[in-house]
Amino acid sequence: MARLHEWQWIQDHKAHYLQDPESAHDWDSTPAGRPGLVPTLLLHTQGRQSGEWRASPLLYQPCGVGFVVVGSRGGTDIHPAWYLNLKANADCRVQAGRFRYRAKARFLEGEERERYWQKMVSFWPDFESYQKRTERLIPVVQLVAAYDVEQGT
């Protein structure tokens, strides 16, 4: 039960994003022990077993024609569900504030992964400590726009 409480702020942020995406885009990171506002997106993936669409709020940084996200799950030994869903089906939907688009996940490797990993660590230094907590290589994923960006309502 403690696990649910630890991650409650993620569920709260997701609910806020679904209700008011513009104000939820800049997330107050104090519940995670960090000061200030940071940009977040809402990643919609199709469940690999259920087939149902699921939403996950994630920190991000711009990258070419899309965004880069990190599958840290706080440094636990298991990949986040959204990452496993993308491995099964790379097609997804991204919402950054009021803007929505369809995307395809690219799983970065080698030098490209390292370059974007460093960019993400510069943005959110905790990613480095998350990597130290686990033996798995934390994935870095580019969400490449598959269609023109739409403005949501």
Side-chain angles (χ1 to χ4, degrees):
M1 193 59 108
R3 201 72 169 145
L4 282 176
H5 178 69
E6 282 178 36
W7 300 97
Q8 185 60 48
W9 59 270
I10 294 172
Q11 295 305 316
D12 293 346
H13 184 65
K14 179 172 89 173
H16 182 200
Y17 218 116
L18 291 169
Q19 185 176 46
D20 186 1
E22 282 194 66
S23 71
H25 176 260
D26 292 320
W27 171 64
D28 178 6
S29 63
T30 25
R34 306 278 298 161
L37 298 175
V38 292
T40 62
L41 57 75
L42 205 56
L43 173 64
H44 298 266
T45 60
Q46 194 168 22
R48 64 196 176 284
Q49 296 172 339
S50 70
E52 294 178 23
W53 285 91
R54 311 237 184 240
S56 303
L58 300 170
L59 302 174
Y60 77 91
Q61 287 290 282
C63 170
V65 293
F67 302 118
V68 171
V69 295
V70 171
S72 68
R73 200 168 184 257
T76 62
D77 288 331
I78 345 174
H79 289 301
W82 64 262
Y83 173 77
L84 298 172
N85 290 342
L86 287 176
K87 288 298 277 185
N89 178 2
D91 293 325
C92 58
R93 299 177 192 148
V94 176
Q95 183 172 359
R98 68 177 189 253
F99 297 98
R100 301 178 196 157
Y101 68 92
R102 292 179 188 211
K104 188 170 273 300
R106 281 188 64 238
F107 305 96
L108 304 183
E109 296 179 355
E111 184 275 323
E112 185 180 29
R113 181 210 172 270
E114 184 59 27
R115 187 173 68 249
Y116 285 106
W117 171 257
Q118 291 306 319
K119 179 178 181 170
M120 293 303 287
V121 167
S122 294
F123 164 66
W124 189 260
D126 290 351
F127 285 139
E128 192 71 55
S129 63
Y130 299 163
Q131 183 61 75
K132 290 177 183 173
R133 289 183 201 160
T134 183
E135 292 184 18
R136 73 181 172 92
L137 183 63
I138 292 178
V140 179
V141 180
Q142 182 183 23
L143 306 171
V144 181
Y147 300 95
D148 292 334
V149 175
E150 302 171 6
Q151 185 171 347
T153 55

